[in-house]
Amino acid sequence: MDITKYIRTIPDYPKPGILFRDITTLWQDAGGLRTAIDQLVWPYAGVRIDKVAGIEARGFVLGGAIAHQLSVGFVPVRKKGKLPHDVIGEEYDLEYGTDTVEIHKDAILEGENILLVDDLIATGGTAEAAIKLIRRAGGTVIGAAFVIDLPDIGGRKRIEDLGVNVRTLCEFEGE
Ligand code: AMP
């Protein structure tokens, strides 16, 4: 199955020059969603995973389905100020300014194996911050799984350089 056919591209969203890769068209197709989850999960068969961490917000949908399939727990990685209890945070650079991702302090236990999930990897900045956060909490990131890779931007290499195995299902050229 060619996953790219299920992804809608919206030019100039959310700002001019961006080609937004819209994964909702994959999600709304029963076979599309099922296949994407299965393909993301199968390389981890037999690998010990204690929890899935999903990046806000599209990583929640994919990560929740993957956690269910693996019969493990789910940890939301959220933007600053959204989680209700005590948090740890990690700042990362944006094109202009910075942003912060947070997890609950007690979400990940020392020595747990964590699979990180999001819909798309571009610069890898968000995923890198999430990996640092998981490591600070005592977790080991055993993989990072994304449906879409934008290889021209180089995020995959950035994450692999952190020593994390990256799984993606399809690629789009450009930014
Ligand atoms: P980055 O930190 O640069 O790897 O950006 C990753 C995050 O931004 C992911 O959560 C994506 O959902 C979102 N994102 C970045 N670029 C795009 C794009 N061209 N289309 C859709 N989402 C994007």
Side-chain angles (χ1 to χ4, degrees):
M1 179 181 149
D2 181 3
I3 298 273
T4 54
K5 294 207 174 89
Y6 290 79
I7 311 282
R8 171 166 57 194
T9 295
I10 301 167
D12 300 321
Y13 181 88
K15 51 184 186 179
I18 303 280
L19 287 173
F20 190 85
R21 308 300 179 176
D22 175 19
I23 199 169
T24 65
T25 39
L26 174 75
W27 289 349
Q28 72 201 20
D29 185 278
L33 179 59
R34 174 96 219 176
T35 303
I37 298 300
D38 286 347
Q39 288 189 11
L40 285 173
V41 160
W42 76 255
Y44 303 104
V47 176
R48 197 195 102 207
I49 293 171
D50 298 303
K51 282 173 185 144
V52 172
I55 297 174
E56 183 171 354
R58 291 180 287 274
F60 292 176
V61 175
L62 297 165
I66 290 170
H68 180 76
Q69 182 137 328
L70 294 171
S71 296
V72 299
F74 175 81
V75 174
V77 180
R78 299 213 65 179
K79 298 285 163 63
K80 192 180 173 69
K82 303 275 187 160
L83 288 166
H85 198 54
D86 294 343
V87 297
I88 53 172
E90 185 74 34
E91 199 176 79
Y92 60 101
D93 290 331
L94 299 171
E95 197 176 350
Y96 305 106
T98 61
D99 215 338
T100 300
V101 285
E102 297 178 335
I103 57 172
H104 275 140
K105 245 181 179 165
D106 58 1
I108 291 168
L109 307 178
E110 191 73 38
E112 283 188 325
N113 278 355
I114 309 296
L115 176 63
L116 182 67
V117 176
D118 202 0
D119 66 327
L120 177 148
I121 181 158
T123 66
T126 318
E128 179 175 347
I131 288 165
K132 287 180 175 167
L133 205 48
I134 292 163
R135 287 177 170 171
R136 273 172 51 206
T140 299
V141 183
I142 60 101
F146 309 86
V147 174
I148 304 162
D149 184 18
L150 304 183
D152 297 341
I153 306 184
R156 181 191 196 107
K157 184 171 183 312
R158 180 172 176 177
I159 299 308
E160 286 172 345
D161 285 348
L162 293 172
V164 174
N165 167 275
V166 176
R167 165 102 179 126
T168 60
L169 300 187
C170 67
E171 296 181 354
F172 286 94
E173 283 178 12
E175 302 201 359

